[in-house]
Structure formats: structure tokens, C-alpha cells
Amino acid sequence: MTLAELSLIGDLARPTRLTVPDLLGWRQHRVRVSFECATSGTQHHRFAGPRLYDVLSDAGPGFDPVRRKDRLRFLIAVSGADGHHALLSWAEIDPDFAHAPVLLAVSIDDTPLDHAGPQLVLPQDRCGARHISGISAIRVDGGYDCRPPTPATPGRGSAAAP
């Protein structure tokens, strides 16, 4: 049986593909988590794995060092092999801001996730909706522009901001 892989893509200097054994190369953190699951009630599990922040920082997010607080415009989209998705902001995982201990779990209840793939674990979430099993891709994206659009010229469609 082949090992599950996850792709780190997007605004990264070093996009890559990782397996659970690859993730064992980062410092491992252990957490006990309880969360509400809509289909099976309250869940209690033990997870171990590296912090999402450490893994993504190693991939080299494309922050612009000249732009003040540039990292705050970055979003992290996590996709699971089963079609589930979750979205986080960089500020949630950054030690200078919320510093949430979000894990890329490599084991659940001492069972390795080598073939199933890592899980996104958010110990601070009361609801388990953002716990993503079998992560297939993580996209880091800083391409969001919040400037208002340029007003339309009469007789033409609206123009996008420069």
C-alpha cells in the first residue's frame, strides 16, 4: 500500500509533496482533544504531529518584507481526500498573533496515519468541522486585494483595481 501524500502549494518559495514519515522530521507535539462531531457526538482523541506553522514556515511563504504586516493577508486552504475543506488565516497560527497550536497530526490515539494521510487538528475548536482527515493539499495564498474596484466608465464594464 502506498503512503498518502499532501501537496504544499501556492505562494511558497519551496512548494513540495510530503508524507507522514516526512512530517516526522519536524518537532512533534502531543495534544488531547475533545470536540463535537455532528454525526457521532463528542469525540475524545490524542494526536501527535508537527505544528502547521513550522511546516509552512519551512516552505517559505512569499511574504513581502517591505510591506508592513504583509503576512496578515495570507490565507491557508486545507483540502482532504474526502472532499472536506477548511480555511485558516496566517494570523491564527503565527506566534506573533493568535499562535493557535494547529497540528498536522501523524498519529491518532497512537495509531500512525501513514496510509490515511495527516489530519488537520485544531485543539482550540469546540466543533470538529475544521478537523480535516487525509489531507491532500494545503494552499498558502497571499493574493487577496481588498481595495475597492475602480468605478465603471459609462458605456464600459467595471474595471478591476490595478
Side-chain angles (χ1 to χ4, degrees):
M1 183 179 249
T2 55
L3 295 176
E5 286 187 331
L6 78 90
S7 298
L8 296 182
I9 58 175
D11 294 331
L12 299 169
R14 293 172 297 283
T16 191
R17 297 182 68 76
L18 298 170
T19 63
V20 167
D22 295 330
L23 292 170
L24 291 169
W26 279 271
R27 180 174 174 220
Q28 301 295 294
H29 299 268
R30 300 185 189 301
V31 294
R32 289 184 181 270
V33 177
S34 296
F35 58 87
E36 296 294 323
C37 178
T39 57
S40 53
T42 303
Q43 300 289 305
H44 304 278
H45 295 289
R46 294 180 321 276
F47 293 97
R51 289 207 170 150
L52 177 62
Y53 175 82
D54 296 336
V55 173
L56 293 182
S57 292
D58 192 59
F63 305 141
D64 182 348
V66 176
R67 287 178 72 175
R68 186 172 179 264
K69 301 181 189 177
D70 188 55
R71 60 195 158 148
L72 297 181
R73 69 182 169 91
F74 280 70
L75 296 178
I76 304 162
V78 181
S79 300
D82 61 0
H84 285 97
H85 304 281
L87 189 63
L88 297 94
S89 71
W90 187 268
E92 282 183 83
I93 66 169
D94 191 306
D96 288 337
F97 300 97
H99 197 211
V102 178
L103 296 186
L104 291 176
V106 296
S107 70
I108 179 172
D109 300 325
D110 300 319
T111 301
L113 294 169
D114 292 354
H115 300 292
Q119 289 191 21
L120 183 71
V121 177
L122 295 99
Q124 70 279 10
D125 283 9
R126 185 180 55 82
C127 170
R130 291 197 299 174
H131 285 233
I132 304 295
S133 300
I135 299 170
S136 58
I138 300 174
R139 178 176 185 78
V140 176
D141 197 338
Y144 298 94
D145 190 349
C146 295
R147 292 179 288 183
T150 304
T153 303
R156 297 186 184 173
S158 64

